[in-house]
Amino acid sequence: NEDMNPVELLQYLMTENEITKAELARQLEVSRQLITEIVNYKRNISKKMVMKLAERFKMRPLAFSREYQLVKSNKRKIKTA
């Protein structure tokens, strides 16, 4: 769907394919933590990950490479002078 951002698309595809974060991580040979951070808007999808997702779900890479907003972490950043 053109209205979905890459994370919404990924969540939709995982639901449709009845695939868990752990299973997807295994298939893509990445950590479950990485998948979790992506679906929770904590981390952007890297170019390498875009290609893996596109290949896995047989879609054009563009579907996973559109920009979207990350959720700002509520952890305080420590300034280093």
Side-chain angles (χ1 to χ4, degrees), residues 17-51:
N17 290 276
E18 297 180 354
I19 185 172
T20 64
K21 289 187 280 247
E23 181 58 31
L24 182 60
R26 207 171 14 258
Q27 290 177 9
L28 300 181
E29 298 178 340
V30 298
S31 70
R32 204 190 87 222
Q33 177 72 25
L34 175 61
I35 302 294
T36 300
E37 288 177 5
I38 289 171
V39 298
N40 290 333
Y41 293 88
K42 302 284 188 204
R43 185 189 288 222
N44 278 314
I45 302 173
S46 69
K47 284 191 173 82
K48 190 174 176 182
M49 191 66 172
V50 163
M51 299 313 290

